[in-house]
Structure formats: C-alpha cells, structure tokens
Amino acid sequence: MNLHVYNMRRGGGLGVISFRSGTVPGGQCLNSGGTEIDNDGAGDKNGTTRIDTFMPLLHLEPLPRRTTKGEVLQFVERVGQLSSRSVGKIEIRGAMASVEIPDGWEGRLLKSLDGQMFGERRIRARISSERVGNRGNCGNEDHFSRLARLLDLESKAEAQRVAKQARRLSPFEAEKTGNTLVDLSVVDENPGLGGRFVVQFVRRTRSPLPWTRLNVGSPVVVSPFTQRADLSYRGVVCERSESALSVALDNLPDELGDHDIWRMDLSFDEVATQRQRAALEQARLLRGDRSAILRDVLIGVRQPEFGLDPAVSPLDRTLNATQIEAVQFAISARDVGLIHGPPGTGKTTTVVEVIRQAVRRGRKVLACAPSNMAVDNLFEKLLKFRERVVRLGHPARVMPELREHTLDLLVEQHPDVRLARRLVKQAMSLFREAGRYRRAAPKPGERKQLRDDARSLLADARKMELQAAESILNSAAVICATTTGIDSQLIGPRRFDLVVIDEACQSTEPGCWIPLLRGDRLILAGDHCQLPPTIVSQEAAAEGFGTSLFERLVNEHGPEIARLLTVQYRMHQSIMDFPSRELYDGQLQADPSVRNHRLCDLPDVTTSQLTQWPVEFIDTAGASYDEELEPDGESRMNRREAALVTRKVRTLIECGVAQRDIAVISPYGAQVRLLRELLELPSVEVDTVDGFQGREKEAVVISLVRSNPKGEIGFLSDIRRMNVAATRARRKLLIIGDSATLAGHPFYKRLLEYCESINAYRTVWEEA
C-alpha cells in the first residue's frame, strides 16, 4: 500500500509519522482513512512497528433508552451482517451511537441498517463525512463532496444572515421585514395536531397582526420579548387569522406563564440540512444496486435509457396532446425523465396523471416537491381523484382542509392508537404511584416493579402506534412529502417503483437526493426558465449551487431528456407572446379560453384604457423617478414610482376590479415594504418576485425600481426574475420602469420594442 506523510512528531520516545489517504506521487490512490506508524528509525526494542488505522464512523439514532454498547454491536452484527471482530470502538452519547467500521463497508451498512427496527423504534443510519473523505476520486473533490461543501457554505451563510439581522435591526424594524412578530401575548394553549401543543398568540394590544411572512407551515422560534439567549422554543405555525397566530410545539414550555410579552422569528430548518448531507454521503457510497445505477445516470457515468412510448388512455379527459405526450414519455423513461412546464401549462396536472398511470400499473409512488404548498397542490389533486394517498409531515404545515389525511392524524384516529393512549395514561398513573410519598414503607422492590410495569405499558403503546403507522403506509399507493421531509425513522427502508419531484427547479440538488435514493425511476417536473432556488451564500452561488438537478440534466443531455408542455391556460395572448419568444423558442400557445380575455370582460368591471389593454409599459425616463437605498438597509426603493403604482392600483379598484384579483410585485424588498405602507389595502397582495412564484392574479402591476445614470440594474439582469413576474398576470400586465436605465440590457431593450410593437408603450408624462 502506498502512503504519503502528512505529519511527523515525537511521542513517547518514538518518532511518530502520520500517513493519510489521498493522492501520492504518480497519481496513486489510498483506500484507508489514514495510518499512523510509531518508529524510532530502527523499530522498538522488540523490532516491531505499531500501526493505528483510522476507521469510518457509522452513526445510529435515535436509540431506545438505556441502550448498551453490546446491544449496538449485536444489532450491527445481526442486521448489518458485519462480524463483531471487524467493529472498532463504540461510543454512546445520549440517543446516538457512533461505531467504527471497516473501510469499504459504509454503503452496505447504510443500506441494511437505515430505517430498521432497533428495539421498539426505527433508527436512522448515516456516515460521518469527515471519515468518508474523497476516496472515490483519488483525492480530487468528487460530485458529492462538492455538493456537501457548498451545502455547508449555504447553511453557515443562512445562520449568519439570521444572526446579522438580529444584531442590525431593532425588534420593530425586524418586524417590517416580515420575518418577525413582536409584542405578542399568549391567549390560549391546547393539545392537538398529533400529540403536539398549540399555543395561540395575539398582539398585546389586541390589534390586527401586521403583514408577515409567517404563514401556516413556517418554522419559527418563539422567545420572550426581553430576549434571553438560553430561552427559546422551536415550533411550526399551524393557524393564522387577521389578529391571531397559533404555533404547534412538541412540548409545552414550563416558562410559558412567566413572561407577558413574546416575539416570534422565522427560522431556517437545520434538520433539512442534516438530511441532505446524509443523502449525499449515502449516494456516494452506493454500490451494485438499482439506486447506484440511477445515481450513475444522474452524474453522467451512464446514459439514460428510454423504452418505446406506450399508448396511454388518459384518466383525466381534459389533458391536451402535449400533456399526453409528456405522460407517455415519463412512463417510457427507464431511469429519469423531465417534464418541462412553462407558466400556466398545467405541469402539476400532468404530474398527477403520471402518478395515476403508475398506480394503475401496480407501482408504488413517492411524490415530492420542495415546498409544503407545492406538495399540498399535488396531494389535493390526488385526493380529488380518490387515489390511495397519505401525506407525511407536520400537520401544521399542511392546508387545514387536508390535515385529516396526514399520517399523524390518520394514526391518531386508528382504533389501536386509541387503546395505546389508554395504556399511556395507565403508565403515567403507575409512575405517579411509584413516586408518591407514603407513611408506611413500601414493600421491597414495589416501586421498581411499578416503574417496570409502566415502562412495559409505554413500550406496548409505542408498538401499537408504530403498527398503526405501518398499516396506513402499507395501504397507500402514493406517499406525498416535501423533498427534505422524508425520514427513515418514519417510513423505514421502504423503496418505491417511481419517485416524482414537482417544482424540481426550486430545489437545490442535495434536496433531490433524499427522495430519489428510494426509487427505481425518477421523474422531475419544473421550469428552469423561472427562478432557481434561493441561495444566501454568494460563494456557493458563484460555484453553481443554485443550479438545480433539473437544469443540470437539461444542460448535459439536451431536449431529448425532456418533454415541453406548450399549451398555456393562464395568460392573454399579448402577455404570453414576449416570454414565449425569449425563453421558450416561441412554442407556447394560448388556449382559446384565455387567448383574448381582458379585465373589462369580468363582471362589474368598467371599460377603460387600463382595463381594456392587456399589456402596458409606463416609462419613467427623464422624470426624476430616482432610486435610493433603503435607510439602514441593503435593498432599494423608488418613492415616486411607488406613488405611481399606488395611483394605478386605486384606479383599477375604481374601475371595479376586486382587490383580491390584484397583485403588486417588485424585485426589491424595500420597495415592497414601501408599497404596503402606501396602499394600505389588505386584500391587494404585495410581494417580491420570489414570494409570488407559482401564483397568479387577474391583474399584476410590476415596479422595477431601478433608475440611475449608470444604467445599473442589479439582479434584474437575471431575466428569469422578469419571466416569473410577468407571467403571473392573467388579463392585465402593467410594468413601470425607467427605459434609460433598463434598455442597456438586451432583454429589456427587446421588451420595450415589443411593447411599442403592440401599442402598449406609454410615458409617465401621459399619466400626469
């Protein structure tokens, strides 16, 4: 074996030379994690050399209480088929065991142990990335090492961003960002949502809540308003009204009644990052099975294969020809296939048909999307067609009308679980009895026996809950979950014939590896011409972390790996034409039902230039509509442009357009905050482009903000942002911007020319 020296030191009278695996002269690779040889140049007094070899670490969690090292060893030997003589050191810390295993066994043990029963619960298995290293690529950074490194950069940047905002902004300034609510009081607390606790918060003054990004399903941190670093609670928003917001907590805080005023902050999901990192490690270690073949296709080692497109009899009779063609293509894909769905083309409808066709062929399907809203859209459509479908995930993150179909609540309603709840009550009673003070001394061993009986009842209750969950999951043909919401502790080692990921372009690649490792075939649906995943780390973004798996596959394999949906059911022809030409090779067609619809065709809407013309661009060039930086912030705003937007929105409302049918979109958060203050119309949605992806409104007003003598347009240069903003509109698209600033970019120059060609160009002087 060839080794290279990475450290030399003196120790115990001996010269200690440390060796590490990696690239050595001549390009050879080492297979061990690292070796250390103690040698004084002539060996020790017995003429021998001591070699200590580092071993990869296998982590198992969560362990049952009081698990011993011997039980861990037996589990690895029995289930993992690894001889106990090959196992190194075992450490148990809390509910996790760390086990040294032989080099080369990582993939086999992950496959055999992850999701298996250990005592009365399922466990997760993972490998330490620092122990795995880059052995598969001779010391060079392989695909998965690179993704793991970029994932760590993004995770650190997200944590720093949250901390920076907390330091930079006062509580009430933080509230204006939409990520924080302050001055809250607790008004109610109740059990609910699958054994969790629901705490309701309102403004201390009982006034309506301000605008906030804290929506149902948002992960949050709740803490006293007089913040103490050691006192905070993680939860999930489960209900929201105009004046109250409820949070589901796993445990009810003892200190809840000790504080009168609370604050609530949007949190990032640390568990999701851990699951992505574990999935990347597992993907790298795969050997000799179907998942390894699929991995090799996805990283370019193998070419994807397709069979003949089968004849499909649509279950949904409303599908058009291009949707049916995409379904046939997806069914023919032996490894991976892509469904490219531009705005309004019925991508999710097509995905649901693919899932239903797979179910009719006797296949088990795992249906995913990056966000809870996107999963709920899939889930709702599948329920509508009466498919046997179960939704994984925290019930609070699911739309209220769908919660009864989540696994948590289905388990709660199971007859066996009702009995389990009675067993838990009996166990708690026994624990109280064992701890109760008595005048007469208890009989020897009586207290221990009571506690043992209580633990036995709790174990029986857990088995009943697990069996109920197993029964429900086994009966489902389709399981729905977010890409990062799949947990082996919950669904065990289950595999699926087909994995479908909708809105795949909104996920970074590591997020997609969690579900796809459980499937034999993969279908991705999305549109890489719309916004990519949001990336906080500039360093990670510069190295391509924002390139989704969908986009990478399109770039590597071209159109033969995808099918484009071309008939759109949202936009007026004039709204559709420009993005179709710019981004979809002019292939989009407006369905007759929407081709010529206008605002003035809606009931009670009067006819005027504003309601009759489907597209208008108002040019503010030369009118001193200057942009500025937000005070004490990093975002940009344009006060005069915001005032013009406000006038136009009010005119739309005066013409009879319902407030709920109007959206105001700006690329800049500062402009969004300013517009909310000026409009003061709660039913008119005002948000950033990122916040509006996947949505639509009858009328959309876009404030582009940028107006400066240098022609700087910042991230407006990512034309996907404008594609998303413009394609949210159904009947009316009104864009306000400065042509002198924008026209230096070829895309915006062509947009202005297009508006002129359809007589949609106006100047701000005409609006005076």
Side-chain angles (χ1 to χ4, degrees):
M1 180 172 67
N2 293 302
L3 304 174
H4 73 284
V5 176
Y6 74 92
N7 189 26
M8 291 191 295
R9 58 185 170 83
R10 297 291 300 178
L14 300 176
V16 181
I17 308 175
S18 300
F19 296 86
R20 175 175 289 162
S21 61
T23 304
V24 294
Q28 296 167 302
C29 293
L30 306 180
N31 294 319
S32 64
T35 303
E36 194 168 87
I37 301 177
D38 288 357
N39 198 333
D40 63 357
D44 63 16
K45 62 182 180 180
N46 297 317
T48 61
T49 300
R50 178 171 63 81
I51 301 179
D52 296 323
T53 304
F54 294 143
M55 302 174 74
L57 276 182
L58 168 72
H59 301 291
L60 304 173
E61 62 177 339
L63 300 176
R65 293 176 69 247
R66 298 187 177 87
T67 297
T68 66
K69 294 180 181 180
E71 290 169 335
V72 172
L73 181 61
Q74 291 174 9
F75 176 74
V76 172
E77 185 175 27
R78 175 177 54 83
V79 182
Q81 300 295 302
L82 174 63
S83 170
S84 59
R85 290 174 295 181
S86 301
V87 176
K89 185 178 180 181
I90 298 175
E91 290 186 356
I92 296 179
R93 295 180 181 177
M96 183 177 75
S98 299
V99 185
E100 291 183 337
I101 60 173
D103 190 41
W105 272 80
E106 301 99 320
R108 279 177 283 182
L109 289 176
L110 278 178
K111 182 179 178 181
S112 60
L113 299 181
D114 190 45
Q116 294 293 341
M117 294 295 297
F118 192 125
E120 72 276 6
R121 64 178 64 178
R122 293 194 182 279
I123 60 146
R124 309 179 191 94
R126 62 182 178 85
I127 302 293
S128 288
S129 57
E130 64 271 17
R131 296 286 182 160
V132 174
N134 300 317
R135 291 188 299 274
N137 211 29
C138 297
N140 298 321
E141 188 178 48
D142 65 23
H143 182 75
F144 298 103
S145 298
R146 172 181 167 275
L147 287 178
R149 178 174 58 80
L150 298 182
L151 178 64
D152 287 342
L153 287 175
E154 177 67 9
S155 178
K156 291 174 183 176
E158 178 67 21
Q160 289 169 358
R161 183 187 67 82
V162 173
K164 179 181 178 182
Q165 180 171 293
R167 291 193 303 267
R168 182 171 61 87
L169 301 178
S170 70
F172 290 98
E173 288 173 333
E175 187 173 70
K176 289 183 179 180
T177 69
N179 297 327
T180 298
L181 286 174
V182 300
D183 200 28
L184 300 175
S185 295
V186 175
V187 293
D188 199 9
E189 60 214 47
N190 287 295
L193 294 170
R196 298 171 178 88
F197 294 90
V198 178
V199 180
Q200 187 179 61
F201 295 86
V202 299
R203 280 286 210 194
R204 193 161 51 97
T205 59
R206 299 303 194 269
S207 60
L209 296 175
W211 172 84
T212 179
R213 297 185 190 279
L214 306 184
N215 298 311
V216 171
S218 297
V220 294
V221 173
V222 179
S223 56
F225 189 63
T226 53
Q227 180 125 15
R228 273 173 42 194
D230 61 338
L231 188 58
S232 61
Y233 307 97
R234 290 187 175 272
V236 175
V237 177
C238 59
E239 291 182 26
R240 176 180 158 184
S241 66
E242 184 178 331
S243 58
L245 192 147
S246 297
V247 176
L249 305 172
D250 287 337
N251 297 292
L252 198 63
D254 294 333
E255 301 88 353
L256 200 61
D258 297 342
H259 301 273
D260 296 328
I261 311 175
W262 295 78
R263 69 177 281 168
M264 192 181 302
D265 295 275
L266 188 67
S267 174
F268 64 95
D269 197 340
E270 297 173 348
V271 173
T273 300
Q274 294 169 2
R275 289 176 180 170
Q276 290 174 78
R277 189 179 293 112
L280 294 175
E281 294 168 3
Q282 184 175 351
R284 179 171 42 202
L285 296 168
L286 290 170
R287 298 291 184 274
D289 61 5
R290 177 58 194 162
S291 290
I293 294 173
L294 182 57
R295 175 206 56 197
D296 289 347
V297 170
L298 295 175
I299 64 175
V301 176
R302 295 171 178 256
Q303 288 297 309
E305 296 182 1
F306 299 89
L308 295 175
D309 288 4
V312 170
S313 178
L315 299 169
D316 182 351
R317 299 295 181 181
T318 66
L319 295 183
N320 62 50
T322 61
Q323 289 172 324
I324 294 172
E325 181 186 356
V327 172
Q328 292 173 328
F329 172 73
I331 293 173
S332 75
R334 293 175 179 168
D335 304 299
V336 59
L338 277 55
I339 297 174
H340 183 187
T345 54
K347 170 179 54 59
T348 300
T349 298
T350 307
V351 168
V352 168
E353 180 72 16
V354 171
I355 294 170
R356 297 180 70 204
Q357 291 286 346
V359 170
R360 296 304 178 274
R361 288 162 172 77
R363 296 170 182 167
K364 292 278 189 177
V365 181
L366 177 60
C368 301
S371 69
N372 281 287
M373 181 179 293
V375 176
D376 282 349
N377 288 338
L378 273 176
F379 187 45
E380 187 174 30
K381 290 178 183 292
L382 290 166
L383 285 172
K384 174 185 172 183
F385 288 117
R386 300 184 182 278
E387 298 294 339
R388 292 177 290 116
V389 56
V390 173
R391 172 77 153 92
L392 303 185
H394 198 306
R397 293 179 174 174
V398 180
M399 290 191 296
E401 59 269 28
L402 303 177
R403 285 177 186 166
E404 63 181 291
H405 302 284
T406 60
L407 179 63
D408 279 34
L409 296 191
L410 288 172
V411 167
E412 284 288 324
Q413 297 160 11
H414 197 280
D416 291 350
V417 173
R418 294 195 188 101
L419 174 58
R421 294 291 176 263
R422 290 198 292 270
L423 294 180
V424 170
K425 288 182 180 179
Q426 293 176 29
M428 294 300 102
S429 178
L430 290 175
F431 277 126
R432 287 193 295 270
E433 179 69 19
R436 186 176 298 157
Y437 171 77
R438 302 177 190 174
R439 290 186 178 181
K443 297 178 182 178
E446 182 180 356
R447 292 185 188 275
K448 181 179 182 302
Q449 184 61 49
L450 287 171
R451 292 191 180 98
D452 288 345
D453 291 344
R455 293 189 186 98
S456 178
L457 288 173
L458 288 177
D460 289 343
R462 280 193 289 267
K463 287 178 184 177
M464 288 180 180
E465 289 182 356
L466 184 60
Q467 289 168 359
E470 286 289 300
S471 174
I472 293 167
L473 291 172
N474 288 338
S475 66
V478 185
I479 292 177
C480 291
T482 59
T483 49
T484 57
I486 298 162
D487 185 3
S488 53
Q489 188 189 6
L490 184 63
I491 65 173
R494 280 180 175 78
R495 289 193 59 79
F496 299 84
D497 303 293
L498 177 66
V499 172
V500 176
I501 304 179
D502 196 12
E503 304 294 357
C505 295
Q506 294 181 31
S507 170
T508 59
E509 185 170 332
C512 289
W513 282 97
I514 300 173
L516 72 83
L517 288 175
R518 291 183 172 272
D520 294 336
R521 298 187 305 120
L522 174 67
I523 300 299
L524 300 173
D527 180 14
H528 56 292
C529 299
Q530 296 188 60
L531 283 176
T534 300
I535 305 300
V536 176
S537 167
Q538 294 183 359
E539 185 178 352
E543 293 194 48
F545 194 56
T547 301
S548 65
L549 176 61
F550 186 107
E551 184 177 3
R552 180 170 67 76
L553 291 174
V554 168
N555 292 338
E556 291 175 358
H557 295 282
E560 64 269 15
I561 200 173
R563 289 295 181 270
L564 177 69
L565 305 179
T566 59
V567 181
Q568 66 86 16
Y569 298 88
R570 176 186 300 165
M571 294 165 276
H572 187 286
Q573 178 87 26
S574 297
I575 299 174
M576 177 202 73
D577 276 344
F578 182 72
S580 177
R581 295 178 194 177
E582 288 291 317
L583 295 160
Y584 306 105
D585 297 324
Q587 295 186 66
L588 298 190
Q589 307 166 30
D591 185 77
S593 63
V594 302
R595 185 175 298 154
N596 297 308
H597 66 180
R598 302 168 301 171
L599 279 182
C600 59
D601 298 328
L602 291 171
D604 303 321
V605 175
T606 59
T607 300
S608 67
Q609 176 177 295
L610 198 57
T611 62
Q612 190 173 8
W613 288 91
V615 177
E616 289 184 278
F617 185 101
I618 300 179
D619 187 359
T620 65
S624 299
Y625 277 50
D626 300 325
E627 67 181 72
E628 59 185 281
L629 274 174
E630 183 181 32
D632 300 322
E634 300 174 356
S635 187
R636 296 180 184 273
M637 60 201 302
N638 189 316
R639 296 181 187 276
R640 295 194 67 188
E641 189 172 289
L644 177 57
V645 169
T646 301
R647 293 199 300 273
K648 287 298 179 181
V649 170
R650 295 193 182 280
T651 302
L652 284 171
I653 295 170
E654 290 169 2
C655 289
V657 181
Q659 292 187 31
R660 65 178 180 276
D661 290 334
I662 303 172
V664 178
I665 301 176
S666 178
Y668 290 92
Q671 186 77 343
V672 167
R673 290 187 282 276
L674 175 60
L675 284 164
R676 288 199 187 102
E677 291 178 4
L678 293 176
L679 282 167
E680 294 184 325
L681 297 169
S683 297
V684 174
E685 291 196 57
V686 185
D687 210 340
T688 61
V689 182
D690 302 62
F692 232 91
Q693 182 153 293
R695 310 282 306 286
E696 62 181 61
K697 289 286 183 178
E698 298 291 352
V700 170
V701 182
I702 302 175
S703 173
L704 293 179
V705 177
R706 301 311 298 261
S707 179
N708 59 77
K710 295 181 179 180
E712 295 176 346
I713 63 172
F715 56 54
L716 284 182
S717 60
D718 184 346
I719 62 175
R720 293 175 295 185
R721 191 171 301 278
M722 190 62 192
N723 182 39
V724 171
T727 56
R728 302 308 94 197
R730 288 175 51 79
R731 299 169 187 261
K732 176 72 179 186
L733 173 63
L734 174 59
I735 305 171
I736 301 176
D738 181 345
S739 65
T741 300
L742 298 168
H745 190 285
F747 174 85
Y748 292 97
K749 183 175 184 293
R750 292 192 295 271
L751 173 62
L752 290 163
E753 291 170 349
Y754 171 74
C755 290
E756 288 180 338
S757 72
I758 62 171
N759 198 26
Y761 175 82
R762 317 274 184 262
T763 72
V764 72
W765 308 107
E766 299 174 52
E767 305 300 321

